[in-house]
Amino acid sequence: MCGITGWASFHSDVRTQAPVIEAMTATLAPRGPDAEGVWLGEYAAIGHRRLAVIDIEGGVQPMTDRPDRPDRPALVLSYSGEVYNHHELRAELRARGHAFHTRSDTEVVLRAYAEWGEDVADHLEGMFAFAVWDDRARRLLLVRDRLGVKPLFWAAVDGGLAFASEPKALFAHPEIRPRVDADGLREAYSLLFNTGPTVWSGVREVEPGGLLVLDRSGIRERRYWQLEAGAHADDQDATVERVRSLVGTAARSQLEADVPLCSLLSGGIDSTVLTALLADELRLRQGPDARIRSYAVDYSDQAEQFAGDVLRTSHDTPYAAEAGAFIGTDHSTVVLDPLALLDPEHRKAVVAARDSPIGVGDMDTSLYLLFGEIRRHSVVALSGEAADEVFGGYPWFHNPKALAAATFPWLLVTGDEAAMPLNPELGLRIAEFRDDTYRSALAAVPHLDGETSTEHRRREMQHLSLTRWLRQLLHRKDRLSMAQGLEVRVPYCDHRLVEYAFNAPWALQSFDGREKSLLRATGAGLAPDSVLHRPKNHYPATHHPDYNRGLQNMARDALADDRVRSLADESRLKPCLDTPPDRLEWGHRLRLERVVDLALWLDHYQPELAL
């Protein structure tokens, strides 16, 4: 896992711009603490920060196709992520006449481009974002993995475009400034998670499953992958067996690393089934005494006396400990002091990592601190992210009110109570924007002829979850882990598993009368019954009154900033500030979190507000 950046321009000699590419690359140092490299040619500059995971000595980047003449390459690659089928591809490419000089998956991607050109992505399995400068064709190719696990942003410059793993690297280019207009605020605070436009004016994302080509004729974008509807012929037993095979294959393929590796074990079914599969495979490879490290997070107040809320009905820690003992992991619980989540330096680091004012407050800060603690012992972690989207785990898949609502289902949970109220004088018309976007989102959902109304609606829910809600979860996990130099892998995002589950009829997805039936059947014998049958629990949060009190004080300080007051609706924030700390509800608290983050974001980036 790494950070990539660079630009191509046909209007100037880029070779004179070494300080620019060096500055852009330096902004990504947390993503790649192990090494830095840049390459400059007449029309392109390519930068890379490396987190060394596979082939520590050999995977140096930017990588060229002529290691004997790096100053005169035909191809230059800057790559972030992991390609899990690189062994198979290496064998295929060797059979086609390609020679290899390293063990790295980076070189496999480079040689695969040399063989297949822009169709290279069709052959890759994994999480990745990369740029290839083809000096022969005078062409830049940007590619992003199918689910959007790895980020990739771009913006126009004179005669071409600049790209980066994070927007902050783009802002180190002299032609790109941090600027926010009404469209950007609407994108951020509507909570619809569109991919393409961002909060930053002129900065866009490469679509998940998408690629972008720049040459002298201009910019061309296309999707090489997207979810499609297809007939499902397997019965229940065959479906369970197929899911078990797909999940197992994904887990095993993602266990490769030349550095210490661990698992995130929350005590829910998703992470427990995954950890069990990883532990079994590790014992097969290293012997019966091998134990995978596993980590959970808790707060000191919750450890003493658990307090639930609308998203959390039980305490994770006992379930995680039970799962770790059942599987046989080397398990640790990282216990955080709730007041540490108020530390201004931690909060600033999180906002800077996100490049966005939108997050989930203390849950982001705690995840950042958790990843920092894990990074002391491991370089790679595997996570159960995406299982809820793949297997229908959220309440909105089952709740009649959510199924009947003509809006994005998460808005019924997060909605306006959790969104920071914006100044109505801005005229953003968010409600209208949500309605228009919802209609467009439904129009993009693929369907089969003859679907029942129930299947039709459940497919819409799953498509919205996989193509929108999941994207912000992956964004959060990537940014906060990479800010600590930790690679997080997500086996449930294997595109073959996603495709298969998306087309499994809802009767099979819920055959035991509740959510995640297929995953529960897959996990039989791998996890304690208490975990297999535990209801959905979201990422933990503190409920300490002193944290709430400190947050209210920070929000008051934020509202003393004229820029914050110009954007926020103070009248709707007043009840959140006046509520006694021990009675502050989750939705109102999240409003305050977002006001604090807005102030930190404005202070850090000093963006031009073109409103």
Side-chain angles (χ1 to χ4, degrees):
M1 198 79 73
C2 307
I4 70 172
T5 190
W7 81 96
S9 172
F10 297 109
H11 287 181
S12 62
D13 188 340
V14 173
R15 289 172 293 188
T16 66
Q17 300 297 311
V20 176
I21 188 61
E22 290 167 358
M24 294 173 71
T25 305
T27 66
L28 301 174
R31 296 188 72 93
D34 296 326
E36 178 183 49
V38 300
W39 177 91
L40 290 104
E42 183 178 359
Y43 300 106
I46 308 293
H48 189 268
R49 290 291 315 201
R50 187 181 185 205
L51 176 64
V53 172
I54 293 176
D55 191 4
I56 308 301
E57 299 300 324
V60 177
Q61 297 190 55
M63 183 175 284
T64 70
D65 65 329
R66 296 176 183 168
D68 57 328
R69 291 293 306 274
D71 58 321
R72 298 288 298 276
L75 304 175
V76 185
L77 170 68
S78 189
Y79 158 76
S80 171
E82 305 291 346
V83 168
Y84 303 120
N85 64 330
H86 70 98
H87 294 295
E88 295 85 350
L89 285 175
R90 184 186 301 268
E92 180 179 355
L93 289 164
R94 274 184 172 144
R96 291 171 177 261
H98 293 269
F100 288 85
H101 304 278
T102 75
R103 294 188 299 108
S104 69
D105 59 334
T106 304
E107 189 177 12
V108 171
V109 174
L110 182 65
R111 300 296 169 184
Y113 173 82
E115 180 67 28
W116 293 300
E118 70 176 63
D119 293 332
V120 57
D122 296 329
H123 299 265
L124 306 180
E125 298 169 6
M127 57 178 191
F128 47 81
F130 61 87
V132 178
W133 171 250
D134 188 331
D135 205 50
R136 304 162 304 184
R138 302 291 195 265
R139 180 172 61 215
L140 178 70
L141 172 69
L142 305 181
V143 180
R144 192 175 181 196
D145 67 70
R146 295 167 179 85
L147 274 294
V149 181
K150 292 291 97 188
L152 186 53
F153 297 86
W154 68 278
V157 298
D158 181 41
L161 65 83
F163 65 89
S165 296
E166 300 178 7
K168 60 174 64 68
L170 297 177
F171 300 144
H173 191 286
E175 295 181 39
I176 306 169
R177 306 308 307 158
R179 182 176 184 272
V180 179
D181 57 21
D183 290 338
L185 282 183
R186 191 181 299 111
E187 286 289 346
Y189 286 99
S190 63
L191 306 179
L192 304 186
F193 315 117
N194 288 315
T195 300
T198 70
V199 67
W200 302 108
S201 178
V203 175
R204 297 183 60 82
E205 284 186 84
V206 175
E207 291 268 2
L211 59 82
L212 180 152
V213 176
L214 168 74
D215 57 24
R216 289 189 181 276
S217 64
I219 295 172
R220 170 172 53 86
E221 293 183 85
R222 72 172 175 89
R223 299 287 295 276
Y224 67 88
W225 181 90
Q226 55 190 337
L227 281 170
E228 296 180 354
H232 185 88
D234 295 339
D235 62 14
Q236 180 176 311
D237 290 343
T239 299
V240 170
E241 186 57 37
R242 180 63 175 152
V243 169
R244 183 179 290 122
S245 173
L246 288 168
V247 173
T249 298
R252 288 189 294 272
S253 70
Q254 299 189 28
L255 197 55
E256 181 180 4
D258 294 337
V259 292
L261 178 148
C262 70
S263 179
L264 306 180
L265 180 59
S266 69
I269 183 175
D270 313 342
S271 63
T272 302
V273 169
L274 174 61
T275 301
L277 291 168
L278 296 170
D280 286 348
E281 180 65 18
L282 196 65
R283 284 188 282 264
L284 284 174
R285 296 182 187 185
Q286 299 182 6
D289 295 330
R291 294 163 68 89
I292 191 169
R293 283 182 177 269
S294 61
Y295 290 91
V297 66
D298 202 357
Y299 306 89
S300 56
D301 61 314
Q302 297 290 74
E304 294 172 4
Q305 185 174 0
F306 174 75
D309 58 30
V310 65
L311 298 179
R312 304 160 191 90
T313 59
S314 59
H315 190 197
D316 277 353
T317 298
Y319 289 96
E322 181 185 6
F326 183 93
I327 297 166
T329 72
D330 181 4
H331 186 68
S332 300
T333 301
V334 177
V335 180
L336 302 175
D337 178 356
L339 298 186
L341 307 182
L342 297 170
D343 186 319
E345 294 308 310
H346 295 330
R347 304 290 295 231
K348 291 175 184 176
V350 167
V351 169
R354 287 198 317 250
D355 288 322
S356 168
I358 292 294
V360 283
D362 65 306
M363 291 184 283
D364 281 355
T365 309
S366 68
L367 189 63
Y368 172 78
L369 295 175
L370 169 65
F371 287 151
E373 182 62 28
I374 291 173
R375 185 59 173 84
R376 294 175 56 204
H377 309 284
S378 299
V379 181
V380 175
L382 286 98
S383 166
E385 202 77 82
D388 285 304
E389 291 79 7
V390 172
F391 294 110
Y394 290 117
W396 57 67
F397 286 99
H398 311 270
N399 185 311
K401 179 182 177 182
L403 290 167
T407 190
F408 295 96
W410 50 88
L411 295 179
L412 302 177
V413 180
T414 61
D416 289 334
E417 287 303 304
M420 191 196 76
L422 294 171
N423 189 336
E425 294 183 6
L426 294 171
L428 296 181
R429 304 170 69 180
I430 283 181
E432 181 179 332
F433 180 66
R434 284 174 169 172
D435 289 343
D436 292 344
T437 305
Y438 183 68
R439 286 190 290 271
S440 299
L442 291 190
V445 179
H447 290 285
L448 292 177
D449 293 338
E451 277 183 345
T452 67
S453 59
T454 298
E455 287 293 337
H456 190 94
R457 184 56 175 157
R458 278 339 193 308
R459 191 184 290 275
E460 289 177 341
M461 286 292 195
Q462 195 164 19
H463 195 272
L464 294 174
S465 299
L466 286 165
T467 61
R468 290 177 176 270
W469 180 253
L470 177 61
R471 289 179 184 176
Q472 55 92 22
L473 297 177
L474 294 173
H475 168 91
R476 171 178 179 252
K477 190 143 284 182
D478 172 85
R479 294 303 191 84
L480 299 179
S481 63
M482 294 307 291
Q484 297 284 18
L486 178 72
E487 173 176 298
V488 175
R489 300 176 181 176
V490 281
Y492 291 116
C493 284
D494 184 286
H495 72 279
R496 296 159 298 185
L497 173 62
V498 172
E499 289 169 345
Y500 187 78
F502 180 67
N503 285 300
W506 189 249
L508 290 177
Q509 295 253 24
S510 57
F511 69 80
D512 63 358
R514 53 178 304 191
E515 79 286 349
K516 290 196 264 199
S517 303
L518 292 174
L519 184 59
R520 187 172 300 102
T522 295
L526 295 174
D529 286 345
S530 61
V531 172
L532 286 176
H533 298 284
R534 185 187 178 200
K536 167 67 182 173
N537 223 49
H538 288 262
Y539 183 86
T542 181
H543 292 274
H544 200 295
D546 287 345
Y547 176 82
N548 292 345
R549 183 177 296 107
L551 179 65
Q552 288 173 319
N553 289 335
M554 292 177 76
R556 292 186 184 98
D557 291 342
L559 288 167
D561 186 320
D562 290 341
R563 298 167 302 171
V564 175
R565 286 201 308 274
S566 72
L567 299 175
D569 185 346
E570 288 187 84
S571 64
R572 294 177 63 197
L573 288 165
K574 190 174 186 303
C576 310
L577 295 168
D578 293 343
T579 300
D582 59 348
R583 298 181 184 178
L584 191 62
E585 296 180 354
W586 174 79
H588 282 182
R589 190 173 86 174
L590 191 51
R591 283 188 179 186
L592 299 181
E593 301 274 15
R594 286 178 170 156
V595 171
V596 171
D597 284 355
L598 173 62
L600 293 170
W601 177 72
L602 290 169
D603 186 62
H604 181 78
Y605 287 98
Q606 297 293 316
E608 175 190 352
L609 297 177
L611 304 173

